[in-house]
Amino acid sequence: MKKILLSIVVAGAFLVSCNEEFLDPTKPSQEEVLSTRSGLIGATNGLQQLWSNGRASVLYTSITANGLTTRELRVVNAGNVDEGFLEAGGTSLTANNAVAKNLWAYGMVINSEAQKILDNINVLTVENEKASVFTHASIFKAMALGTLIQFYEKVPTETSKNAEFKSRAEVLAKVISTLKATEPYLNTANGFTGLVAGISYKNTVNALLARYYLMLGDNDNALAYANLVNVTVKSEFRFDALTNNPIAFNSIATNNNYQPRDRNLGLSSALTPASADARINFYVTADNKALGFFDTSLKSIPFYLPGEITLIKAEVLARKNDLTGAVTELNKVLTKTASSDAFGVGANLPAYTGTLDQASILTEIYKNRCIELYMSGLKLEDSRRFNRPATERNRNWYPYPDSERFNNPNTPTDPAN
């Protein structure tokens, strides 16, 4: 893969992600930056900036693309043509779509920049600093690859020119090995002054391992790591006046891009949420505008929700045909109140009374993933994994950006849909 030119200046760091480096003579080279403690910490903070700051960020593009592809969201201003093409789906989504191209480009850059930090980790000699930076960079590298493989059939995991595209199983294996490499550091990785705050490193690693093992189909490990997550502890992207919540700032607060499709949270027919479901009012206003984590530019966005962890357990147990155990976990989500959830997401509903067979329980779990994890960027992945009808999404996979195809002869043929 030919890496994309992208300059970021964070805490004095000047990083360029491309095969050629265009140096500013007034600033240090990338090698000099990564050879110092302050430079390495600045580059580490830069990963979160790339992930979550602005309309080109992975946080914006993944939530936007997923929501429009799976009918969670609707475009409210036709002038946003790229979002409009995502909403239309099918052949309207081309290799030149700006949202999809930014998702690809920034995901690839984060993978590359995170690896450079990991390669230079021995610059840090203080145990907590080394553990925290290593874990932080590993989380963002894993999320970059793990997010891309939810939208594209194959993804390069290496950052060399003309890198080979890897299969879904290979990419997820790389994601998991990246996260598991942090395990010797997790009891020491507690953050420190100078490193961006808000992340519970140990819980986030275990939550992501549960998520990606589930995607891989390794139910035993998904359950094992889900059981290690302390769901009472928050892990979140925090924003301020300089680093705005990208969804709120670019779309919701201005009402100039997209909004929720309806108060059914993009679900229909038998999956429509119960009218008494308190999560409807948590996520959407009476006039179909987004609330939840997206209505003001200072709102934090979770790395994962407690409900995701509980629903991973429910899904795994259902797929292992432990239906009693699955319903027990499902009921924790259905009966949960806002006051008992770390992020205030509660359904406040009665326990499950549906049919006690695997198919029915899995359908109820899928429905609750769609409601509980609304606008999390996970629904496209879920829709395919639960074998939902193709009519519930307008694409299965995205075409590869021309920026990749023109520079990497190993780029696969675009998927049909």
Side-chain angles (χ1 to χ4, degrees):
M1 178 196 67
K2 183 175 182 180
K3 290 175 274 181
I4 299 102
L5 177 62
L6 179 64
S7 299
I8 58 173
V9 181
V10 181
F14 179 76
L15 304 178
V16 181
S17 293
C18 59
N19 283 328
E20 296 179 76
E21 188 170 352
F22 299 90
L23 296 177
D24 181 339
T26 68
K27 294 189 172 81
S29 69
Q30 187 175 51
E31 289 75 17
E32 291 172 322
V33 167
L34 295 175
S35 68
T36 67
R37 172 186 176 274
S38 60
L40 202 65
I41 294 170
T44 304
N45 287 333
L47 295 176
Q48 186 151 325
Q49 292 290 305
L50 287 168
W51 184 271
S52 62
N53 190 30
R55 192 168 176 172
S57 68
V58 179
L59 191 60
Y60 176 87
T61 55
S62 62
I63 290 174
T64 300
N66 176 87
L68 292 169
T69 297
T70 63
R71 311 188 195 287
E72 287 182 333
L73 304 171
R74 59 186 170 88
V75 174
V76 297
N77 182 345
N80 296 294
V81 293
D82 292 292
E83 284 84 353
F85 287 139
L86 277 164
E87 183 178 26
T91 57
S92 296
L93 179 60
T94 69
N96 290 314
N97 185 277
V99 177
K101 283 199 301 184
N102 285 330
L103 171 61
W104 179 271
Y106 274 64
M108 290 298 178
V109 169
I110 291 168
N111 176 42
S112 174
E113 297 303 323
Q115 187 59 52
K116 292 171 187 174
I117 294 167
L118 297 175
D119 290 343
N120 288 276
I121 195 64
N122 288 329
V123 167
L124 300 176
T125 56
V126 177
E127 187 177 8
N128 175 51
E129 290 184 354
K130 182 176 182 178
S132 298
V133 167
F134 185 89
T135 305
H136 188 106
S138 298
I139 285 171
F140 280 92
K141 179 180 178 69
M143 289 197 305
L145 293 173
T147 299
L148 287 172
I149 202 60
Q150 295 175 61
F151 293 89
Y152 297 92
E153 287 183 300
K154 294 183 177 182
V155 173
T157 58
E158 306 302 322
T159 58
S160 58
K161 185 175 182 178
N162 298 337
E164 293 184 6
F165 280 65
K166 302 295 185 179
S167 69
R168 177 179 174 81
E170 290 173 314
V171 174
L172 288 171
K174 179 68 172 180
V175 168
I176 288 165
S177 67
T178 298
L179 291 167
K180 285 186 66 64
T182 69
E183 289 180 335
Y185 295 102
L186 291 182
N187 288 330
T188 310
N190 299 313
F192 56 91
T193 301
L195 186 63
V196 63
I199 307 174
S200 172
Y201 288 117
K202 188 172 187 177
N203 283 305
T204 300
V205 166
N206 288 330
L208 292 176
L209 280 167
R211 177 187 294 175
Y212 293 123
Y213 270 123
L214 184 71
M215 291 181 187
L216 187 60
D218 186 337
N219 290 324
D220 289 338
N221 272 312
L223 181 60
Y225 281 97
N227 282 329
L228 295 177
V229 180
N230 182 346
V231 296
T232 68
V233 177
K234 286 185 175 183
S235 191
E236 59 191 5
F237 299 98
R238 295 176 180 172
F239 302 99
D240 54 34
L242 295 177
T243 57
N244 295 287
N245 177 314
I247 305 297
F249 184 78
N250 292 287
S251 295
I252 304 305
T254 62
N255 198 33
N256 188 45
N257 195 338
Y258 57 75
Q259 291 286 358
R261 180 171 290 272
D262 50 42
R263 280 172 57 82
N264 289 333
L265 307 182
L267 296 171
S268 60
S269 189
L271 298 185
T272 301
S275 58
D277 194 324
R279 293 171 295 187
I280 298 173
N281 287 331
F282 179 86
Y283 280 118
V284 184
T285 67
D287 57 347
N288 295 334
K289 292 183 174 61
L291 290 171
F293 307 106
F294 309 108
D295 56 330
T296 74
S297 296
L298 298 182
K299 278 277 187 79
S300 296
I301 297 177
F303 274 80
Y304 60 90
L305 281 171
E308 179 188 358
I309 306 306
T310 306
L311 289 167
I312 287 173
K313 297 178 188 180
E315 182 180 341
V316 165
L317 292 170
R319 294 191 187 281
K320 291 165 69 72
N321 215 32
D322 179 355
L323 303 185
T324 300
V327 170
T328 297
E329 296 298 330
L330 173 61
N331 284 339
K332 292 178 183 177
V333 172
L334 289 171
T335 63
K336 177 163 55 74
T337 62
S339 62
S340 64
D341 183 87
F343 287 96
V345 184
N348 201 24
L349 291 171
Y352 177 72
T353 57
T355 307
L356 291 176
D357 64 83
Q358 187 183 54
S360 298
I361 293 169
L362 282 170
T363 297
E364 187 69 15
I365 291 167
Y366 172 74
K367 171 182 173 178
N368 276 274
R369 282 187 64 92
C370 294
I371 301 169
E372 185 87 2
L373 310 181
Y374 181 68
M375 288 182 69
S376 66
L378 294 172
K379 188 179 176 183
L380 179 58
E381 175 72 26
D382 290 350
S383 180
R384 293 190 305 258
R385 188 174 70 256
F386 281 84
N387 296 314
R388 297 298 305 171
T391 53
E392 293 182 1
R393 53 190 182 269
N394 63 42
R395 290 283 306 195
N396 286 312
W397 305 99
Y398 287 6
Y400 298 98
D402 282 343
S403 55
E404 186 71 26
R405 186 172 300 284
F406 293 159
N407 290 290
N408 185 351
N410 293 319
T411 305
T413 302
D414 285 337
N417 59 66

